């Protein structure tokens, strides 16, 4: 809860609460439970973008761009094609039953923030993976999505990624823009 409070203080959520998510239905549709910190993040912010850079995916969003299930299906297909073509899988994905689930993406670069979901591992223990999207980089971060997002926004994440955020925007105030019907 401390990470959520720090994020809310750093980057206020929308004044209007986001639509409620049917977590049981969402998890059935994905075939897995989801991390508690992700649920807190979605329940606080909903579908939208942090600092014009990091798009949060939400189960059953009306917009395919922000829909967790739609993006999971699309990423599964894209990655299967890359691996068939010979691109190397990240080490953790070589384990039988392991899978990738995206939870956010970087708008301009096509990079994705994913979880490495391993068999027998509780969702709250999943590793965050940054995949550059336009290349083979898979950068692991041994923390939850909420802690990672907070570290990215505060500039304390141990990563070379998010150049647009750091080099172009250089935010002094952080903003979250909710995806509204007039902005699909």
């Amino acid at each position: 809860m401390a990470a959520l409070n720090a994020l809310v203080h750093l980057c206020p959520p929308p004044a209007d609460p986001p639509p409620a998510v049917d977590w049981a239905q969402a998890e059935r549709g994905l075939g897995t439970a989801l991390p508690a910190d992700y649920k807190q993040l979605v329940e606080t912010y909903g579908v939208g973008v942090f600092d014009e850079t990091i798009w949060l995916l939400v189960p059953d969003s009306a917009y395919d761009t922000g829909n967790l299930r739609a993006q999971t299906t699309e990423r599964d297909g894209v990655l299967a094609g890359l691996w068939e073509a010979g691109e190397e899988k990240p080490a953790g994905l070589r384990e039988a039953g392991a899978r990738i689930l995206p939870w956010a993406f970087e708008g301009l670069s096509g990079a994705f923030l994913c979880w490495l979901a391993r068999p027998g591992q509780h969702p709250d223990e999943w590793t965050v993976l940054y995949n550059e999207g336009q290349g083979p980089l898979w950068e692991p971060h041994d923390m939850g999505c909420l802690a990672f997002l907070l570290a990215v926004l505060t500039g304390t994440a141990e990563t070379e990624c998010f150049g647009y955020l750091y080099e172009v925007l250089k935010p002094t105030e952080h903003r979250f823009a909710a995806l509204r019907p007039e902005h699909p």
Side-chain angles (χ1 to χ4, degrees):
M1 194 61 143
L4 180 62
N5 290 337
L7 182 62
V8 165
H9 180 74
L10 178 73
C11 184
D16 295 329
V21 173
D22 181 339
W23 291 110
Q25 178 183 338
E27 292 173 335
R28 273 192 310 274
L30 290 166
T32 185
L34 293 166
D37 67 334
Y38 170 73
K39 292 177 183 179
Q40 292 175 333
L41 188 58
V42 166
E43 290 169 352
T44 303
Y45 289 91
V47 65
V49 61
F50 290 89
D51 289 345
E52 300 176 32
T53 304
I54 302 170
W55 288 83
L56 181 61
L57 301 175
V58 173
D60 301 321
S61 168
Y63 310 103
D64 283 348
T65 302
N67 186 304
L68 177 66
R69 280 203 289 181
Q71 290 294 332
T72 298
T73 300
E74 183 177 313
R75 294 306 312 153
D76 285 348
V78 167
L79 293 173
L82 289 174
W83 293 324
E84 277 182 28
E87 188 169 308
E88 190 173 337
K89 287 183 180 182
L93 266 185
R94 295 183 203 127
E95 180 180 349
R99 68 187 276 209
I100 294 290
L101 290 165
W103 58 271
F105 66 91
E106 189 178 6
L108 292 176
S109 71
F112 272 83
L113 291 168
C114 305
W115 294 291
L116 173 58
R118 301 170 88 173
Q121 191 176 42
H122 190 277
D124 292 341
E125 298 171 348
W126 290 347
T127 298
V128 168
L129 291 175
Y130 174 92
N131 174 240
E132 68 183 323
Q134 301 296 319
L137 174 67
W138 288 88
E139 186 180 82
H141 297 274
D142 193 19
M143 62 181 70
C145 63
L146 186 51
F148 183 72
L149 178 60
L150 181 61
V152 167
L153 295 180
T154 59
T156 60
E158 293 183 22
T159 182
E160 297 296 319
C161 306
F162 301 101
Y164 181 75
L165 179 63
Y166 299 131
E167 297 160 15
V168 177
L169 293 179
K170 299 178 187 174
T172 54
E173 290 183 19
H174 298 277
R175 297 193 187 331
F176 179 82
L179 193 57
R180 300 283 184 220
E182 63 273 10
H183 295 98

